[in-house]
Amino acid sequence: MAWSFSIGTIAGTAIRVHVTFALLLIWIWLMHYRIGGTPAAMEGIAFIVAVFVCVVLHEFGHIAAARRFGIKTPDITLLPIGGVARLERMPEEPGQEFVIAIAGPLVNVAIAAVLIAILGSSAGLEQIAGVEDPHSGFLARLAGVNVFLVLFNMIPAFPMDGGRVLRAALASRLTWSRATQIAATIGQGLAFVFGFVGLFYNPLLIFIAIFVYLAATAEAQNAQIREISGSVMISDVMITEFATLDRSATIDDAIDTLLATTQREFPVVDAAGHFEGLLTRDDMIRALKEKGPSTPVVAAMRRGLPTIHHRKRLEESLRLMQESHSPAIAVLDGSNRLVGLMTHETIGEMMMVRAAAPGRFRFGHLRQTGSRS
């Protein structure tokens, strides 16, 4: 999602467009231009814009439902294969997820119903189904797209809305992690089907297959992290051996520390050990290029990063990292001195250990097993 830019904000949610969206517009323009010249190409572009207006309305269906449960949505990103609304946090109850997931497709049902009502008897099933036929009516094709969006999104597999509906149903009887794993496995299997079909019919399906597979895998990993984060304390998994930078240090000093360690994030502390900011590898390289090696680290460090007490649970640090988009969180003791760091790499390593010894990993530690005589 890094290759995206904002085109505005609606009701507190930023609308972002991925750069690959331009490739779709170019492809649509060329395809329609070959059929009917510039007028047909302009109509093709207008149709795609109308489709993505429907996609945005679909995502705002999710947003409206999420806000009923106190969940904010910072942004929506439009991709060539649809939109992605980023929730501030996951729903806490299966019933909440069901409502949020079903709200998007219901918006498309409403749009299709309105368009079909406007068309009346002038649009038959063949016209509505002829989405790819530029000679079909504009509104009939748009109605057909919304019907397709409903059917596609309700496929019971991640990352489609149907996968979330399936997880909500399964989570009423199974654990959240197990329900997610089932829906994600179906999604990964569906991705292989899309990729295989795309090899012979439509290359766009290969792109969709990659997106579906990666999204399903990420969803399964997030569920596993969520499952154990409620029982793990930050002090059990935080980094405790790391290099720090004094607030009086320069970028030259920071570079020496960077080359002497494997760290990518360096806390900046005062003489008493209080956390003042974070200097990442990218920050120091940028400062080195733009301002020179004598630049103080306090001029290049990131301020205002979230901090957390070391006796809090891991799930709280995950929430802070997600909300702040921070590469790390400073862990403090009762005197507000820096005692540890939480990073995405730390969480990844914890998950690898748990995967290698699933029966022995408890509360952030490996249980010792007695030897048999």
Side-chain angles (χ1 to χ4, degrees):
M1 299 304 177
W3 292 5
S4 61
F5 56 91
S6 177
I7 60 173
T9 301
I10 300 177
T13 298
I15 311 298
R16 305 184 65 82
V17 177
H18 200 268
V19 294
T20 53
F21 187 75
L23 300 178
L24 175 64
L25 294 180
I26 294 172
W27 180 70
I28 292 296
W29 173 278
L30 294 175
M31 184 182 70
H32 286 74
Y33 184 84
R34 292 175 59 186
I35 296 174
T38 300
M42 293 298 293
E43 182 179 351
I45 296 297
F47 180 73
I48 289 298
V49 171
V51 168
F52 274 87
V53 168
C54 295
V55 170
V56 171
L57 292 175
H58 171 108
E59 297 302 330
F60 269 93
H62 295 309
I63 291 171
R67 286 181 178 176
R68 288 191 57 190
F69 304 113
I71 303 174
K72 298 179 181 179
T73 310
D75 55 57
I76 298 172
T77 302
L78 298 180
L79 301 162
I81 60 174
V84 177
R86 184 170 59 88
L87 299 182
E88 186 179 57
R89 60 180 175 83
M90 294 300 297
E92 298 178 355
E93 302 292 338
Q96 294 180 0
E97 177 163 52
F98 175 84
V99 172
I100 295 172
I102 202 70
L106 287 178
V107 170
N108 295 117
V109 170
I111 294 173
V114 170
L115 291 174
I116 291 173
I118 292 173
L119 292 169
S121 59
S122 63
L125 183 60
E126 292 184 0
Q127 284 184 291
I128 295 176
V131 173
E132 297 183 356
D133 184 5
H135 297 100
S136 297
F138 189 96
L139 294 182
R141 293 169 62 202
L142 192 59
V145 166
N146 279 275
V147 171
F148 170 78
L149 288 174
V150 173
L151 297 176
F152 180 77
N153 276 286
M154 290 310 296
I155 294 175
F158 275 135
M160 277 71 77
D161 296 330
R164 302 188 183 279
V165 171
L166 175 62
R167 176 170 67 179
L170 292 173
S172 62
R173 297 189 177 186
L174 304 173
T175 64
W176 185 270
S177 178
R178 180 56 182 159
T180 302
Q181 190 61 53
I182 292 173
T185 300
I186 297 175
Q188 290 169 333
L190 184 67
F192 281 108
V193 173
F194 283 164
F196 182 77
V197 174
L199 290 174
F200 299 97
Y201 296 100
N202 190 339
L204 181 61
L205 287 175
I206 299 176
F207 180 75
I208 295 175
I210 295 172
F211 173 79
V212 169
Y213 184 87
L214 294 177
T217 302
E219 195 72 41
Q221 292 174 343
N222 289 337
Q224 292 174 356
I225 294 173
R226 177 176 174 176
E227 181 185 27
I228 66 172
S229 63
S231 60
V232 175
M233 306 299 291
I234 293 177
S235 57
D236 291 332
V237 294
M238 68 183 183
I239 301 173
T240 57
E241 297 184 5
F242 52 89
T244 61
L245 297 171
D246 189 85
R247 70 181 322 275
S248 62
T250 64
I251 293 296
D252 191 24
D253 299 324
I255 293 295
D256 288 339
T257 307
L258 173 68
L259 297 176
T261 67
T262 59
Q263 284 179 229
R264 300 180 61 176
E265 297 88 12
F266 297 87
V268 179
V269 297
D270 62 14
H274 297 136
F275 177 73
E276 294 204 0
L278 187 76
L279 186 70
T280 68
R281 181 185 64 182
D282 293 340
D283 294 334
M284 66 176 72
I285 295 300
R286 186 182 305 110
L288 181 64
K289 289 181 178 179
E290 297 176 357
K291 301 179 181 179
S294 61
T295 305
V297 294
V298 292
M301 70 182 185
R302 304 185 186 192
R303 300 176 184 269
L305 268 71
T307 60
I308 193 168
H309 191 271
H310 69 102
R311 298 306 300 168
K312 294 288 187 178
R313 296 193 182 276
L314 178 60
E315 61 183 353
E316 179 68 12
S317 70
L318 294 177
R319 182 184 63 80
L320 289 174
M321 292 178 75
Q322 181 179 14
E323 292 177 357
S324 64
H325 303 289
S326 174
I329 289 184
V331 185
L332 311 180
D333 63 11
S335 301
N336 290 327
R337 290 190 297 266
L338 182 70
V339 294
L341 281 178
M342 277 299 305
T343 67
H344 293 289
E345 288 78 10
T346 306
I347 299 169
E349 289 167 354
M350 179 189 67
M351 295 307 298
M352 286 190 293
V353 171
R354 181 177 182 272
R360 296 174 55 195
F361 188 83
R362 293 291 186 274
F363 307 108
H365 296 283
L366 284 177
R367 293 188 304 172
Q368 300 298 318
T369 57
S371 59
R372 294 182 179 179
S373 57

